Amino acid sequence: MAMDFEEILVKCGDSHRYQYMLLALYGLLMFIVSRHYFAQNVIGFVPDHWCYHEQLENRSYAEIAAIYAPFKRPSCTRLASINMDGSNATASSEPCNRWIYHYDHGFISMNADLNWVCDDAYKARVGQSLFFVGSMCGTLLFGLLGDRIGRIRAVVLANWCGFLGDSATIFAETLVTFSASRFVSGLAAEANSYLMFILVLEYVSPTMRSVGLNLTMCIFYCLGLICASWQAVWLGSWRSFMVWTALPQLLITGFYFLIQESAQWLVTRHDFDGAELRLRRVAKFNRRDVSEADYELFRQHCKTKESEARSQMSMQKQARLIDSFKLPRLRRRLIYVTVVFSIVTLCYNTMSRNVEGLSISPFVMFILFALTLPPSGIFQTQVQKHFGRKFTSVVSMTATGLMTATTGILLTFWTQHSATVMVCLLLMCRFGISVTTGSTMQISTELMPTCVRSSGLAVIHVTAAALSFISPFILHLDTYFRAASSIITCILLLVSAWICLLLSETRNKKLPLTLAEGEEFGKGERMFDFMRGFKKEDQHDLSADTNEKLMGDKRTY
């Protein structure tokens, strides 16, 4: 009788002290990641501004805005003369080289500090574009490293890139130095979060995967956004804000000494001694007494699987992502996952940026968007717990798509809408897309075999980031028809929901470890099988899980 990884993990503890520590550290990382990722937006806020004139020094911002209102480009028009009462101002043909800024909550952004506005506004966009180029490169680089040198080492290296990039940004004065520093910072934009997600997922029970991971991510990501907004206001300067964004990333180095390397990944590398050592440490931390016979059964299972893989396919010894495309069912599933995740990411970025025309502070919008994350995470967790990942993804995609199209059409033909109503509608859509993104991320991760999970997710994230470049062009269509972007988003989400129906359910199932297991995973499952027998399946799985844990508890005493 052999014992596979899921069984030995139950005996070592898959919902105990070590797993709660993992979730706490994952929450800390999400707090830091949210600040790192959205620092790009915070430092780039452009306050209301007007070209400087000595006769404007003692006037209020409202008076200055009224004086410039008649001009086509009020922010970039230089005045030649102004009457005492502010009327009949004349424009100058000379370009503007000094501005008056109306700082939002007193925060001096990078654009205002470096005067990157009007004709120089492109400089900030170039630097921000390099951030996303770095994100694509870093996602692929650290994803491949995650499968080569291990998850935890890749997480630490990614955060060091984030620290170095954010630190260099503080001293940026020119376009070249700013672009270079943002590229380095972008290397960690996605890699650090999803690598840690993989590491936690491989050590926790199926129940904690749904409840613990989603709630932890949503709550701490929300706290990070709120903290970033108000800390920027409190500090008052973008350079000071970047200091407090860079320094916390050094804390992630300590993860190397606190977190065990993925035992599943070590098994796929044929390092059975290393995998057993990590499991022993987890059992000791969880105060679980696991017999030597159990470890021996686990080793026998690993050796049996290794010999079977060698006899059937030589690819298992050095499993690579390219090898997964040689297996027809696994290849088809990976293509589906890539398409679904890319579409959802594109829709998320399009909806997140669709806030133009609102007379509200960007700091306030940040906080409002952040507050939708915890309820969306709780909602996602409960739906996944009772109905599964596939059901949650399909239903959330469909509902969010229809709600987004309805909102766009309503805002198009309701000409006298208020900013409050518009914000509320956008928050509803933001709630839906947050549920969709979370459920898609989880099912995509769980469907990927462990041996290529890091590199596979890296390719998926790179593809999604590349596709997201068209989101500004989708939003630009709103200038011709206000509901255009909403209708396109709806169509994309409906297509994504249909493709998601072709994927396999992962709830309460042993995740594929090798490429061969990935090929057989979900075999015989039909498109709508996930709709049948939720309650019976829950009772069966929960009772089996309970019996396993009771057996482990008896050994403890």
Side-chain angles (χ1 to χ4, degrees), residues 145-170:
L145 283 176
D147 282 336
R148 292 286 182 179
I149 65 174
R151 319 305 199 208
I152 189 62
R153 291 187 179 93
V155 169
V156 172
L157 289 176
N159 278 274
W160 267 97
C161 286
F163 167 75
L164 294 175
D166 287 346
S167 299
T169 302
I170 300 170

Side-chain angles (χ1 to χ4, degrees), residues 25 40 89 92 146 158 208 217 252 345 371 378 447 455 500 502:
L25 295 177
Q40 186 73 7
S92 172
M208 289 189 75
M217 179 179 66
I252 308 303
T345 302
L371 291 175
I378 294 172
L447 285 173
S455 55
C500 194
L502 304 176

Side-chain angles (χ1 to χ4, degrees), residues 260-328:
Q260 301 301 318
E261 183 55 82
S262 170
Q264 285 195 48
W265 173 76
L266 290 170
V267 170
T268 64
R269 301 291 100 181
H270 308 290
D271 185 3
F272 305 140
D273 293 334
E276 181 181 333
L277 175 63
R278 269 64 178 190
L279 289 170
R280 288 180 180 274
R281 290 175 178 174
V282 171
K284 181 179 180 181
F285 193 91
N286 287 335
R287 298 175 182 174
R288 306 274 291 188
D289 186 13
V290 183
S291 65
E292 292 296 328
D294 290 333
Y295 287 120
E296 183 60 32
L297 290 175
F298 171 67
R299 292 179 64 87
Q300 290 178 8
H301 172 79
C302 294
K303 292 179 180 179
T304 301
K305 286 291 183 180
E306 181 185 24
S307 60
E308 290 177 355
R310 285 179 176 175
S311 61
Q312 294 177 4
M313 54 182 70
S314 60
M315 71 174 69
Q316 175 60 28
K317 183 175 182 180
Q318 294 293 335
R320 298 171 300 170
L321 182 61
I322 192 66
D323 297 329
S324 62
F325 287 90
K326 299 177 183 178
L327 304 174

Side-chain angles (χ1 to χ4, degrees), residues 335-354:
I335 293 174
Y336 289 159
V337 166
T338 302
V339 173
V340 168
F341 190 84
S342 298
I343 290 176
V344 170
T345 302
L346 170 62
C347 293
Y348 179 85
N349 288 326
T350 301
M351 295 172 66
S352 298
R353 295 175 182 176
N354 193 12

Side-chain angles (χ1 to χ4, degrees), residues 109-120:
S109 67
M110 176 203 66
N111 297 62
D113 185 32
L114 301 179
N115 286 326
W116 284 0
V117 294
C118 295
D119 293 339
D120 288 336

Side-chain angles (χ1 to χ4, degrees), residues 40-198:
Q40 186 73 7
N41 299 70
V42 173
I43 66 174
F45 288 158
V46 181
D48 294 333
H49 56 283
W50 306 271
C51 195
Y52 173 82
H53 193 281
E54 57 273 7
Q55 296 183 22
L56 299 175
E57 289 186 350
N58 297 322
R59 297 180 186 270
S60 66
Y61 292 118
E63 292 175 333
I64 296 174
I67 292 173
Y68 276 99
F71 298 97
K72 187 176 180 180
R73 300 181 65 197
S75 298
C76 306
T77 301
R78 185 169 184 172
L79 299 181
S81 62
I82 308 173
N83 291 346
M84 294 298 295
D85 58 357
S87 62
N88 197 23
T90 58
S92 172
S93 59
E94 296 182 8
C96 189
N97 55 15
R98 184 179 176 185
W99 285 265
I100 299 172
Y101 293 101
H102 184 194
Y103 299 117
D104 192 350
H105 290 84
F107 178 73
I108 303 176
S109 67
M110 176 203 66
N111 297 62
D113 185 32
L114 301 179
N115 286 326
W116 284 0
V117 294
C118 295
D119 293 339
D120 288 336
Y122 75 94
K123 294 181 179 180
R125 298 190 184 103
V126 170
Q128 304 226 0
S129 297
L130 266 294
F131 178 86
F132 292 108
V133 173
S135 174
M136 289 190 294
C137 297
T139 299
L140 184 59
L141 171 64
F142 291 111
L144 295 174
L145 283 176
D147 282 336
R148 292 286 182 179
I149 65 174
R151 319 305 199 208
I152 189 62
R153 291 187 179 93
V155 169
V156 172
L157 289 176
N159 278 274
W160 267 97
C161 286
F163 167 75
L164 294 175
D166 287 346
S167 299
T169 302
I170 300 170
F171 305 99
E173 296 285 350
T174 66
L175 175 59
V176 174
T177 56
F178 178 70
S179 298
S181 63
R182 297 320 292 160
F183 175 83
V184 176
S185 178
L187 293 173
E190 294 284 349
N192 50 11
S193 58
Y194 84 81
L195 284 171
M196 186 65 179
F197 183 90
I198 294 173

